[in-house]
Amino acid sequence: MVKLDSKVPAGHISEKWEKHKFEMKLVNPANKRKYDIIVVGTGLAGASAAATLAELGYKVKAFSFHDTPRRAHSIAAQGGINAAKNYQNDGDSVYRLFYDTVKGGDFRSREANVYRLAEVSNNIIDQAVAQGVPFAREYGGYLTNRSFGGAQVSRTFYARGETGQQLLLGAYSALSRQIGAGNVQMYTRREMLDLVVVDGHARGIIVRNLLTGEIERYAGQAVILATGGYSNVYFLSTNAMNSNVTAAWRAHKRGALFANPAFTQIHPTAIPAHGGAQSKLVLMSESLRNDGRIWVPKKPGDTRKPNEIPEEERDYYLEVKYPAFGNLVPRDVASRNAKYVCDEGRGVGPTGRAVYLDFADAIKRMGRKAVEEKYGNLFEMYENITGDNPYEVPMMIYPAPHYTMGGLWVDYHLMSTIPGLFVLGEANFSDHGANRLGASALMQGLADGYFVIPYTLGNYLGTERPQKVSTDRPEFAEAEENVKNTIKKLLSIKGKKTVDAIHKELGHVMIDKVGISRTKEGLEEAIKKIRELREEFWNNINIPEDDKTLNQTLERAGRIADFLELGELMARDALNRNESCGGHFREEYQTEEGEALRNDEEYSYVAAWEFKKVGEWELNKEPLTFEYVKPSMRSYK
Amino acid sequence: MAEKINLTLNIWRKESPEAEGYFEEFKISVTPDASILEMLDELNNDLEAQNKRPIAFESDCREGICGTCGIVVNGHPHGPIPKTATCQLHMRNFKDGETLYLEPFRAKAYKNIKDLVVDRSPLDKIIQAGGFISVNTGNPPDANSIPIPKETALQALDAAECIGCGACVAACKNASAMLFVGAKVSQFALLPQGQPERYERVQAMVNTMDEMGFGSCTNTYACEAECPKGISITNIARMNRDYLKAKISSHSMQY
């Protein structure tokens, strides 16, 4: 067992962070340059952290598997970023943003972390604007906001549908400035394959140079992981092709606990897969549900074209089941019901895994021009991808995994259970509980990188005063050996199956049994199947070419090997949690109306899993207490 | 499901940065609903199943925003459809029986690493030289303390939408990076936050661009035509004006 100490400071929630900033140790300016800090991942969280730490005077080494830090998947976030500015004078406040986020997370997040997130949200907007991020503005020249799900105020800042891109490029520019100044050494096309732990503290990493295949050692007095989420365990997700869990997972196997792996978010409005050749899913903005009507045929196996199905033979199932909210029910409810109707054989499209999102009534009501003004670019994108014109035939949508709330366990300082190893952004578990609200991912990544880690890292260094370690130490040699052996093993299998084929099979099991809706039997079956797949992977995959060159199949194989272990842990976590909350829905635990039934008595805790050996974990619990936001039930009837 | 189409692919192969490149022919049958990169995914799966060397190509978001992908299709960087990144190019745009030539982005400043993969890191070097506003993380003024006209903010955003894919360089007969650099220079030149470093920035970025081996602009507009985000050539004009102004005003003379 690991003793989990959240290190939440004492005091009223609104004073904790401010007070704690004063209590934390500092590193004096002259000493900062004596510290080498390793940052892995250069998306929103990693780039903002690397830039800020370098500005403070630390010597930073930043690593990315991309060719440039500007590629990170943060770039694809469309909607916006929340902040409690209350520019709209509509009753927003830090407390309200905190309240909405805890409630939206279905009471499975840590109150103190969430409050701090809300508290620094305003600084992020100021920082981004100072960097030249061109947010949307009113005619008077002041910033404008839009509203998003889970909130009754307008607090979302945005730049067209490209908010993630603009914020990432802002952080990238800050990082580039520090690279140019020589304060950050940027290592691109490097993939972290192991963590080096010396005397119980994180002191380095082992990376593979993706172009030459060389295995390299890097030492530092602290290691920061900002390596994103693990939705690609499902094979088809909205995550970028290269997003993976490997850095976090290898750290997990070195002793960092993995928290709430079953908490994943499945977005209801992605463009459905066109068939087996699909490699990735594309998200459509949720705003479409404001005017589109979701339906499927009443009769299973109805292959008529949508326009040939008369009104009385259509089932507008959300409107029927949830008359108050209709098509605007929350993400998880919409996703779940789409799955149910498709499971009944009433799904549409070539694969039968899709539902209609119909704008015919909206066009009748508002006129085509108004619809075009509101959704024109989305319709265009849809037509470009599917070849169908949504003004004439209903769109087809289907849920897709797109964010993971679970991740490496961290305390209030964002430090994992390995001292000196910090985890930021989507890679940690801390702020979103069992469900993340829209426009909160960008906020968390930047809060962690710009405004939290600069303080908490200083406290660690000031308290521990870690000395420089040499990469000649046996711990580095051991970790390098470990990496080399894994690569050797992967290349020597020379079996019959492709890496992608196994990944697809894993994805099927995960989405089917550990996806939108879960049951005890299904999860047990998933564990069995995942173990079989893992066995098959290690005995029957084939990787052409060697490890001395750019070998993208080898890169993928290493990542799939980790997904095959993580997938099992996700199923175990889901099996352990005998309740439904947020993105985790267990069919056995629902109200009579089919709503998620939380069990606060028994499951108001963070499930933090300790790695023992492959397929074996020990559960550690961090109890959650809610002093400020009292747990309540959701209802959308 | 839509009927499959048959294509002949001539794909650029190069085993290592030092090796000689050549075209290899593949016959393929593909669903028109697939993107060109999904077609390559499938082809690679088949090659791997036969223990043959798959085609190295880069991509990540597959939504046209990250700028990682980039293949020259029949002579056009990102293919023949305007304002479309390679990952968003769907096979329904091609006819049954067609022959496609797939090549990497070619430019003096880009090293061809393997097959369709090139090294575009010189573009990063240009940003590192000045593609930023020098503000440390801390306590900048309230975001609403400087009103910026809506139109100005939108123009800056138009320029800021550049995805850094480097297609403009591959499209240009001089392998110039002026559209890429012009877009970043313009974003900051338009905004009040960018004014203090405006003239130092343009000089630093343009000089680095020259050092990296990118060519000069001869106004053929090929970059604008091939840009997947439709970045306007007016950004180059704005950059040129600023560069000239910087050169003739002695106080901002740097070099």
Side-chain angles (χ1 to χ4, degrees), chain B residues 200-211:
Chain B
E200 284 76 12
R201 177 183 305 114
V202 67
Q203 291 183 87
M205 291 181 77
V206 169
N207 292 340
T208 307
M209 172 177 76
D210 293 342
E211 283 163 27

Side-chain angles (χ1 to χ4, degrees), chain A residues 30-47:
Chain A
N31 281 339
K32 285 200 180 89
R33 77 176 88 94
K34 295 180 189 156
Y35 288 113
D36 290 315
I37 310 300
I38 289 173
V39 178
V40 186
T42 47
L44 280 180

Side-chain angles (χ1 to χ4, degrees), chain A residues 230-250:
Chain A
Y230 50 86
S231 292
N232 272 345
V233 70
Y234 292 99
F235 184 73
L236 284 182
S237 83
T238 66
N239 276 193
M241 297 299 286
N242 296 299
S243 299
N244 68 78
V245 77
T246 288
W249 195 252
R250 307 273 166 112

Side-chain angles (χ1 to χ4, degrees), chain A residues 11 29 43 85 95 176 229 278 373 525 540 611:
Chain A
K85 282 284 193 187
Y95 201 89
S176 295
Q278 185 104 18
E373 266 168 29
E525 209 184 311
N540 197 27
F611 181 85

Side-chain angles (χ1 to χ4, degrees), chain A residues 6 19 34 36 61 145 317 321 352 535 605 613 630:
Chain A
S6 68
K19 208 165 129 255
K34 295 180 189 156
D36 290 315
K61 294 178 186 142
N145 295 110
Y317 56 91
K321 210 165 157 186
E535 194 63 23
Y605 65 75
K613 62 179 191 198
K630 288 291 158 215

Side-chain angles (χ1 to χ4, degrees), chain A residues 52 55 66 68 87 126 129 132 160 162 172 189 241-242 274 279-280 384-385 498 545 550 552, chain B residues 38 41 45 51 57-61 63 68 92 114 124 136-137 142-144 148 158 161 187 193:
Chain A
T52 305
E55 288 162 9
H66 286 112
T68 149
Y87 283 161
D126 298 341
V129 167
R160 292 201 181 110
E162 297 151 344
Y172 161 78
R189 298 194 193 265
M241 297 299 286
N242 296 299
H274 53 69
S279 304
K280 147 138 207 319
N384 174 25
I385 293 173
T498 64
E545 301 184 90
L550 177 67
Q552 295 170 317
Chain B
E38 283 173 339
D41 288 339
N45 241 313
N51 198 29
F57 69 93
E58 291 193 284
S59 81
D60 202 33
C61 78
E63 298 180 19
T68 311
R92 73 179 70 88
K114 189 175 185 177
D124 277 335
N136 282 357
T137 306
D142 184 87
N144 255 351
I148 300 171
D158 286 340
E161 280 176 346
Q187 178 194 345
Q193 303 95 301

Side-chain angles (χ1 to χ4, degrees), chain A residues 112-348:
Chain A
N113 284 57
V114 178
Y115 193 90
R116 177 179 61 193
L117 174 68
E119 210 174 337
V120 303
S121 67
N122 292 340
N123 303 68
I124 298 170
I125 305 304
D126 298 341
Q127 190 63 37
V129 167
Q131 290 168 346
V133 170
F135 283 125
R137 287 173 185 268
E138 306 283 2
Y139 281 104
Y142 294 100
L143 293 160
T144 186
N145 295 110
R146 59 166 62 140
S147 49
F148 242 78
Q152 288 169 303
V153 294
S154 275
R155 62 160 72 102
T156 305
F157 294 79
Y158 64 98
R160 292 201 181 110
E162 297 151 344
T163 319
Q165 183 202 21
Q166 293 310 315
L167 288 168
L168 181 67
L169 293 183
Y172 161 78
S173 73
L175 173 61
S176 295
R177 175 173 161 241
Q178 294 305 317
I179 297 169
N183 301 325
V184 174
Q185 256 186 299
M186 183 71 221
Y187 298 88
T188 55
R189 298 194 193 265
R190 303 296 206 292
E191 177 160 35
M192 171 180 157
L193 293 179
D194 211 347
L195 178 77
V196 182
V197 181
V198 178
D199 299 332
H201 288 245
R203 286 289 178 264
I205 58 170
I206 306 292
V207 306
R208 179 166 181 269
N209 180 325
L210 300 181
L211 295 185
T212 64
E214 261 163 272
I215 305 300
E216 302 166 348
R217 307 174 180 187
Y218 295 93
Q221 281 114 311
V223 177
I224 296 169
L225 296 189
T227 49
Y230 50 86
S231 292
N232 272 345
V233 70
Y234 292 99
F235 184 73
L236 284 182
S237 83
T238 66
N239 276 193
M241 297 299 286
N242 296 299
S243 299
N244 68 78
V245 77
T246 288
W249 195 252
R250 307 273 166 112
H252 172 56
K253 290 171 88 166
R254 290 282 177 188
L257 267 52
F258 207 103
N260 299 338
F263 288 169
T264 59
Q265 190 173 69
I266 307 211
H267 199 289
T269 55
I271 298 176
H274 53 69
Q278 185 104 18
S279 304
K280 147 138 207 319
L281 298 170
V282 176
L283 204 68
M284 298 286 286
S285 168
E286 235 177 328
S287 63
L288 290 167
R289 288 199 281 141
N290 282 314
D291 291 297
R293 295 181 72 195
I294 295 172
W295 64 275
V296 289
K298 280 188 178 158
K299 200 169 65 187
D302 192 334
T303 53
R304 285 176 292 176
K305 292 201 171 109
N307 298 344
E308 291 164 7
I309 301 176
E311 201 59 33
E312 64 274 12
E313 290 179 48
R314 299 176 175 192
D315 179 9
Y316 295 88
Y317 56 91
L318 288 178
E319 296 171 22
V320 173
K321 210 165 157 186
Y322 306 95
F325 276 72
N327 294 299
L328 285 174
V329 291
R331 287 177 177 180
D332 55 328
V333 180
S335 294
R336 207 154 58 233
N337 283 282
K339 177 188 183 326
Y340 291 157
V341 295
C342 292
D343 286 349
E344 290 161 21
R346 298 195 289 143
V348 297

